[in-house]
Amino acid sequence: MKIQVNGDSREYAEHTTVAQVIADLGLTGKRIAVELNKEILPFNQHNSQYLHDADRLEIVQAIGGGQADYFTLAGKHYTSRLLVGTGKYKDLEETRLAIEASGAEIVTVAIRRTNIGQNPGEPNLLDVISPDKYTILPNTAGCYTADEAVRTCRLARELLGGHNLVKLEVLADQLTLFPDVAETFGAAELLVKDGFDVMVYTNDDPIAAKRLEDIGCVAVMPLAAPIGSGLGIRNPYNILTIVENAKVPILVDAGVGTASDAAIAMELGCDGVLMNTAIAAARNPVLMASAMRKGIEAGREAYLAGRMPRKRFASASSPIDGLFL
């Protein structure tokens, strides 16, 4: 059935409840008000109220002045511009705490490397990052050919019950972990044709980034520096060129080391930053996750504010009129 949610048409299965739509939008637990067909729906009825074809939902929340700041992936809005991974933590409890501190709404998992789907009774990553709370972003980490990457995405879709949003990365070698751009092009074309919403890791080449956008990827993710290096953004002008010419979200992926790196990415106009090692390898991952969250927010605000122009010579902050001479 088709319903309208805040003016957008969305498809849901029959017997879907209002609470399930709220969960799908990532709004569970948040202070919201719901109107169904122009009638206020009390909170205690969200779980019991079933939706029907052509129903209209309006979901509102209180925000500061002005419009809400969000970016959109595959038709869904996200207010957190920090995306995080789940590898390299000492245990699942540290994983949970760091992700919560980051404020991330999208969490990426390497399907072939996590413990999803292991024997009953063993710790399960999905107990820590519930799909009811987070958008799970399966990725093709460790794939070196287009065929491996496509097969991994198809397995992920089966594992997660028809989930189409994936992060594509096809690596060239184990030393640099740079992307194999030719294989990435091929995998992206196959996945887009197969109905996937592809977020794609690539190098910081504006030509390659534009080609991936033209193929139909929903987001392009140029590296800042080699994966896990922590070197920060090595080619800011390349990233800026990619941002200026893109019609899809651009998210820096790989190479961020600390909060100032994340802020720089946001000041360049990127829509978000994905990171794992920068948080997990910190001496205090939970505290670093919090710092990254604040760095992202500060960089975004600085970008929206518009920095002062750079000048070669000094410019006094105070007027010189009225000085005692």
Side-chain angles (χ1 to χ4, degrees), residues 217-265:
C217 296
V218 299
V220 177
M221 308 176 73
L223 56 80
I227 292 173
S229 67
L231 291 173
I233 297 178
R234 296 295 85 199
N235 294 302
Y237 291 106
N238 280 21
I239 300 293
L240 181 60
T241 301
I242 292 171
V243 169
E244 289 176 338
N245 289 282
K247 295 180 181 179
V248 298
I250 302 298
L251 299 92
V252 159
D253 179 17
V256 168
T258 190
S260 58
D261 298 331
I264 289 171

Side-chain angles (χ1 to χ4, degrees), residues 47-192:
N47 281 311
S48 59
Q49 179 64 57
Y50 290 97
L51 293 167
H52 304 91
D53 191 53
D55 276 350
R56 300 179 67 90
L57 276 180
E58 291 291 335
I59 303 174
V60 300
Q61 59 184 330
I63 61 171
Q67 296 182 343
D69 181 40
Y70 57 80
F71 74 107
T72 305
L73 286 171
K76 186 172 180 178
H77 301 324
Y78 296 94
T79 55
S80 173
R81 295 173 181 271
L82 175 58
L83 293 70
V84 296
T86 53
K88 302 184 179 180
Y89 292 99
K90 67 180 182 182
D91 54 36
L92 288 181
E93 178 62 10
E94 185 177 76
T95 305
R96 181 185 69 80
L97 292 172
I99 292 173
E100 287 182 355
S102 76
E105 297 170 299
I106 301 175
V107 181
T108 183
V109 297
I111 293 300
R112 298 191 300 173
R113 294 179 177 174
T114 65
N115 61 357
I116 295 176
Q118 288 188 351
N119 295 327
E122 293 187 23
N124 191 312
L125 185 60
L126 292 184
D127 294 333
V128 173
I129 50 166
S130 169
D132 293 333
K133 183 176 181 180
Y134 301 101
T135 293
I136 307 300
L137 180 63
N139 71 58
T140 61
C143 292
Y144 290 87
T145 67
D147 180 63
E148 289 177 357
V150 170
R151 288 168 55 204
T152 299
C153 288
R154 288 172 176 164
L155 285 168
R157 181 159 61 184
E158 178 68 19
L159 179 63
L160 297 173
H163 189 85
N164 285 323
L165 185 66
V166 295
K167 180 197 165 190
L168 170 65
E169 57 181 76
V170 185
L171 304 176
D173 60 65
Q174 294 185 359
L175 177 63
T176 67
L177 299 183
F178 281 137
D180 185 324
V181 178
E183 290 289 301
T184 300
F185 287 158
E189 289 175 347
L190 289 171
L191 290 170
V192 169

